[in-house]
Amino acid sequence: MDRQTGDATPAHPDPQASIALLFTEHRLGLVRLAVLLVGDQRLAEDIVQDAFLGLMRRWPGLHAPERALPYTRACVVNGATSALRRRARWRRRSAPYEPPTWPAESAALLGEDRRAVMDALRRLAPRRRAVLVLRYYLDLGDGEIAEMLGTTPATVRSSATRALRALGNLLGEES
Amino acid sequence: MTALEDKLRDALTATADLVTPGSIRMDDPSMTPWHQRRRRPRATPRSVDWPVPQVGTCMLAVVGRCRCRRCGLRVGCIGWSSARTERRSRSPRSTSGGEPRFTAFAVSPDGSSLAIDGSAADTTGLTAGITIVNINNGQTRTFRADRVGATATDFTWSADGRHLAYQLKEYQEYSSSPGGLRS
């Protein structure tokens, strides 16, 4: 498992080398994060690629290069939210189409219970989904999540509580 | 809530672990040459074909400053070519701050108004427009399309001079759609 809870990315004098190092170390984890948010690996790869391109463009103006990982992670979360909004807008305008979350073999590997949880998670609003993924997959604190989503820790706490309650309702559980 | 949290954490971890390093098809952007990096598609093509009036066929001086290099008129002219229009590949950039290029016109039946092509080019492309000129006092009214990438042509006034029919030609695919304008 490649969770990226630490923000310590070695600062390198060469921006190109720093980004390459960041890419090598955290590419997989960022793609996994995006996959959990959008449920589609190809789209997740696009989102992460866009995040890295954005990082390259904005690297000269980055105040703290050692905070590049949180910055990229926030770009991924924002990109995933935008992608989900685009998908919802497209669904409203045209015939409903939801890309399969996983191929059949992955679904078989995942198991019935886990698939039910992931399906319920996918039905939550993008912001609530992001809060749950950041909290329970990356094990980030409320402060870090709030900084990433541009809100307050109290809002994150309430969002997480409501999201868990909604998830429990979707799963038919007592919350 | 704890059981649900544990279940969620387990599902997230198991799902994320399905993404393996070998399944990712991504290149390190910092290692990719800049011209091969994936970018968002441009809203407008860099170079498009759009009709340019044939040089030397200007007919009527009305408004604005002449864009024709050969007619010698200082007051302005309508670039007009009845059948001969050449298509050059050139960027839809402004040559004089969005000044319109006239490629079509039509005089109203009573002779009081003139409809001319008021398309304007800027950095985003060519925006279709129609300018109605009052020949008696020189006042103009311009109607501009709300999208880039088309030009209005083939003006035809109605018999009472209250309506104007035109075609909106998209210069990318050259597909045309009928339109109408109340002057």
Side-chain angles (χ1 to χ4, degrees):
Chain A
M1 189 172 62
D2 179 31
R3 295 198 194 184
Q4 325 147 33
T5 52
D7 295 343
T9 302
H12 201 280
D14 182 17
Q16 201 88 342
S18 299
I19 295 170
L21 189 63
L22 189 76
F23 182 84
T24 308
E25 288 184 352
H26 299 291
R27 171 193 62 159
L28 178 62
L30 289 170
V31 170
R32 284 175 169 171
L33 171 64
V35 162
L36 292 176
L37 292 172
V38 298
D40 180 1
Q41 185 172 336
R42 298 295 161 239
L43 180 58
E45 289 172 11
D46 283 351
I47 289 168
V48 174
Q49 190 88 2
D50 280 344
F52 272 103
L53 286 177
L55 178 68
M56 288 193 70
R57 277 195 295 269
R58 291 172 183 83
W59 187 272
L62 220 59
H63 292 300
E66 67 276 5
R67 300 277 297 160
L69 177 59
Y71 174 80
T72 314
R73 205 183 275 156
C75 287
V76 169
V77 172
N78 290 335
T81 305
S82 300
L84 291 173
R85 285 191 184 131
R86 274 199 303 273
R87 191 187 288 172
R89 198 159 52 231
W90 181 251
R91 205 164 44 224
R92 278 197 299 272
R93 287 183 181 176
S94 60
Y97 168 70
E98 192 75 26
T101 311
W102 308 111
E105 67 272 16
S106 299
L109 283 172
L110 202 58
E112 189 70 33
D113 289 345
R114 288 167 176 167
R115 254 187 300 147
V117 173
M118 293 307 295
D119 282 342
L121 185 70
R122 207 176 56 172
R123 287 159 65 186
L124 296 180
R127 177 57 70 101
R128 288 184 176 182
R129 191 187 317 186
V131 168
L132 289 186
V133 169
L134 293 173
R135 181 184 247 198
Y136 293 105
Y137 174 64
L138 292 184
D139 288 330
L140 296 182
D142 293 339
E144 290 172 290
I145 298 174
E147 186 184 356
M148 194 174 294
L149 298 179
T151 181
T152 62
T155 308
V156 169
R157 273 192 296 277
S158 64
S159 293
T161 306
R162 287 178 187 147
L164 270 180
R165 191 177 301 136
L167 194 70
N169 290 337
L170 288 170
L171 291 170
E173 292 189 1
E174 191 91 10
S175 58
Chain B
M1 196 78 84
T2 310
L4 181 59
E5 287 175 341
D6 289 343
K7 196 184 282 188
L8 175 61
R9 190 171 278 126
D10 172 63
L12 288 172
T13 306
T15 305
D17 287 345
L18 288 174
V19 182
T20 57
S23 69
I24 301 177
R25 294 180 298 191
M26 279 175 60
D27 296 325
D28 181 356
S30 62
M31 296 291 109
T32 311
W34 68 269
H35 60 278
Q36 291 178 2
R37 288 179 199 149
R38 195 172 59 80
R39 293 181 171 201
R40 295 180 188 282
R42 295 174 63 86
T44 53
R46 190 174 289 277
S47 176
V48 295
D49 287 343
W50 51 296
V52 177
Q54 182 81 5
V55 173
T57 55
C58 302
M59 294 177 64
L60 185 62
V62 182
V63 290
R65 187 174 180 80
C66 176
R67 304 299 309 159
C68 172
R69 293 177 181 173
R70 291 178 54 188
C71 71
L73 294 175
R74 303 299 300 169
V75 291
C77 65
I78 293 177
W80 171 254
S81 58
S82 56
R84 294 184 303 154
T85 54
E86 59 176 350
R87 298 193 185 283
R88 298 174 187 164
S89 180
R90 55 188 297 175
S91 300
R93 61 177 181 271
S94 173
T95 54
S96 57
E99 192 172 336
R101 309 172 66 91
F102 307 128
T103 57
F105 71 91
V107 183
S108 65
D110 60 358
S112 65
S113 298
L114 186 66
I116 59 176
D117 176 18
S119 301
D122 59 16
T123 54
T124 60
L126 191 66
T127 304
I130 299 173
T131 300
I132 308 296
V133 183
N134 187 326
I135 294 179
N136 297 322
N137 56 20
Q139 287 183 347
T140 62
R141 292 172 64 195
T142 298
F143 301 87
R144 195 78 70 194
D146 56 358
R147 59 180 174 148
V148 175
T151 182
T153 60
D154 301 333
F155 301 142
T156 304
W157 286 94
S158 62
D160 59 0
R162 292 170 57 85
H163 298 84
L164 180 73
Y166 63 94
Q167 283 200 52
L168 199 64
K169 289 190 176 177
E170 296 180 0
Y171 60 78
Q172 290 179 19
E173 294 91 7
Y174 287 98
S175 61
S176 60
S177 58
L181 176 72
R182 180 187 295 271
S183 63

